[in-house]
Amino acid sequence: MGIHVRTDRSNLVQGFLTNVATLSAASFASGLLNLVQAMFLARWLGPENFGLLALIISVPQFVFNLFDARTASAVIKYIGEFHARGDSARAVMMCQLGFLIDLGISLLTVTLVIILAPWASATIVGRPDFLGLMILYALAMIPRALRGTSHAVMVTLSKFALSARLEVSLAGLRTVLVLVAVLIGYGVAAVIVIQAIGLALTGILYAFLAKRLIQERWGSIWKPFRRRMLSERLGEIFRFLGFSEWSAFMGMISGQLDLLLLGYFHGATQVGHYRVAKSLAASLSYLVKPLQQVTYPELVNLFSREGMERSWLRSRRLATSLGFPLGLAALAGVLLLPWVLPLLVGSDYLSAVPSAQIMVGGASIWLFLFWLRPLYYSSGRIKSWTLIGTMALVVSLPLLIVLLPAWGSLGAATWFAVMNLSAGI
């Protein structure tokens, strides 16, 4: 009996590490491709044009994140429960609900961007001639919205290798096309067009593969949506989505507001320097995300079967064995940035080094506490998690308003690091 228990536990650990390794390798590869793309674009376009590129993309992203309910988090939780109980019909209904919400949010986003684009292109970007490109990028978010629920299906069914291959392939194709376009003389417009096509293609491919998985495991996705099948859980589901929406709003604040305000107060050139620093800090998320993507469905399953105590013990082991050493490694990397950053993007970005050091140091908190969000979400304590994030935002937002106009990118970087104390909400 004891041998079987130890063997089962060993298999669980091995499976967890295999899934993390698969997603980490893919995340590292796609993250490296994105970082290479950002570094070459920063070098070839120069600070001003690189800043313009960041601002044009950030406006529709800001609007999308304003309403993004992070539907995938709810889909993973509830289809994970339905799948564990063998309730195929409700699993399909939950997938349909996820797709409907995501598409509705994307349509709302496009409508608002079309309304705001004339003002944003003139005031924030400072280039009214880029109005059309801003709207094009927003339109690509309609098919891109299909990725959230599709990826949730893959994660729930442990199709980590499939998701990994798709992510790396799309990142590689996008990087090659963008760099070739800039290398042969095309500028910001070509980059945005290619990025928009990449967004649309990502959503379409993910949806196609998810449809096949849903069909194989639970039945046709084209069944009529029957609200009554989820009626006893709908209140709970929409409360979860409501808190997710607020959590996404706070993530949008820390993700885009700093960059947009920096463009408004200090112009595209300083945005270019800041965007380079932020790209380096964001590279840590390519390790955090696969860890969370594997941890979350595992904790959903563990909590559904054995309760909070086992979920907490599992999270504590993950913190000591992975979170602590990875966080320390990220902090050590801060010391190398004065040499690494100029090597990557050139001496024009030397002034970005202090901001990059502050931001990478703050982002290391993600690694220390990568297990925290999955623990709260899997146990249904999203209300508590959202309250923590709200308090962090209320306390830190005045800091951004004070620091950014006077200190520019350095003030924004300091605020970014403070926000990461709430575990990267």
Side-chain angles (χ1 to χ4, degrees), residues 55-70:
L55 287 171
I56 294 166
I57 290 174
S58 291
V59 171
Q61 284 181 338
F62 180 90
V63 178
F64 178 79
N65 288 334
L66 184 65
F67 297 98
D68 181 18
R70 284 185 178 168

Side-chain angles (χ1 to χ4, degrees), residues 270-352:
Q270 193 159 156
V271 169
H273 288 88
Y274 182 70
R275 186 68 181 86
V276 165
K278 198 166 187 177
S279 294
L280 289 172
S283 64
L284 294 183
S285 70
Y286 296 114
L287 184 54
V288 174
K289 287 179 180 178
L291 287 168
Q292 291 185 332
Q293 286 170 2
V294 177
T295 302
Y296 182 31
E298 179 182 329
L299 291 182
V300 167
N301 198 331
L302 193 60
F303 181 80
S304 298
R305 295 176 184 274
E306 302 187 46
M308 185 63 189
E309 184 177 353
R310 285 296 303 274
S311 297
W312 168 245
L313 289 174
R314 180 65 173 147
S315 299
R316 193 168 64 181
R317 291 192 193 101
L318 291 172
T320 55
S321 62
L322 290 173
F324 188 71
L326 289 173
L328 285 180
L331 285 175
V334 170
L335 301 175
L336 301 176
L337 286 175
W339 294 275
V340 171
L341 194 145
L343 185 65
L344 290 174
V345 295
S347 58
D348 287 345
Y349 291 89
L350 273 173
S351 61

Side-chain angles (χ1 to χ4, degrees), residues 93-102 225 230 234 237-238:
M93 292 301 106
M94 190 64 212
C95 292
Q96 289 182 340
L97 183 62
F99 282 124
L100 289 171
I101 292 172
D102 286 337
F225 180 71
L230 295 174
L234 271 180
I237 291 170
F238 280 109

Side-chain angles (χ1 to χ4, degrees), residues 108-184:
L108 178 61
T109 297
V110 171
T111 302
L112 288 175
V113 171
I114 291 173
I115 294 171
L116 294 172
W119 171 82
S121 59
T123 305
I124 297 176
V125 181
R127 291 288 298 273
D129 50 315
F130 283 136
L131 167 67
L133 292 172
M134 191 180 293
I135 294 174
L136 174 67
Y137 192 86
L139 287 170
M141 289 184 174
I142 297 176
R144 170 62 173 74
L146 297 170
R147 182 190 181 279
T149 296
S150 300
H151 186 257
V153 170
M154 293 181 186
V155 167
T156 302
L157 298 177
S158 299
K159 298 296 182 181
F160 298 107
L162 175 63
S163 176
R165 288 194 298 269
L166 186 56
E167 199 70 27
V168 173
S169 299
L170 289 167
L173 178 62
R174 185 172 59 248
T175 298
V176 169
L177 291 177
V178 165
L179 294 183
V180 168
V182 176
L183 189 61
I184 63 178

